[in-house]
Amino acid sequence: MGLRTPYKLAADPKRRIAIEAAKLVKEGDTVILDSGSTTKLLAEELAGTKNMVLSH
């Protein structure tokens, strides 16, 4: 089972988690992400945040 399967099965709840988690990140924060479908969505939500470092 690859990343695409769980991503498709629970896309809406995972997106909602990512949106709420992104609200906790402030400008200038450093965020370290692991792999996974929810963290992928979180990275997408954080993509527009200014002055932030994303690492994996």
Side-chain angles (χ1 to χ4, degrees):
M1 180 188 328
L3 177 63
R4 295 179 198 270
T5 302
Y7 179 78
K8 288 180 181 177
L9 291 175
D12 184 55
K14 289 174 181 283
R15 172 71 64 191
R16 287 184 286 155
I17 291 168
I19 290 168
E20 291 304 313
K23 291 177 184 177
L24 300 173
V25 179
K26 304 297 180 224
E27 184 177 327
D29 284 352
T30 298
V31 179
I32 300 171
L33 300 176
D34 199 356
S35 62
S37 56
T38 306
T39 52
K40 175 189 177 296
L41 293 169
L42 175 56
E44 291 172 3
E45 291 296 320
L46 294 174
T49 305
K50 296 179 182 178
N51 299 319
M52 182 183 48
V53 176
L54 280 176
S55 181
H56 68 285

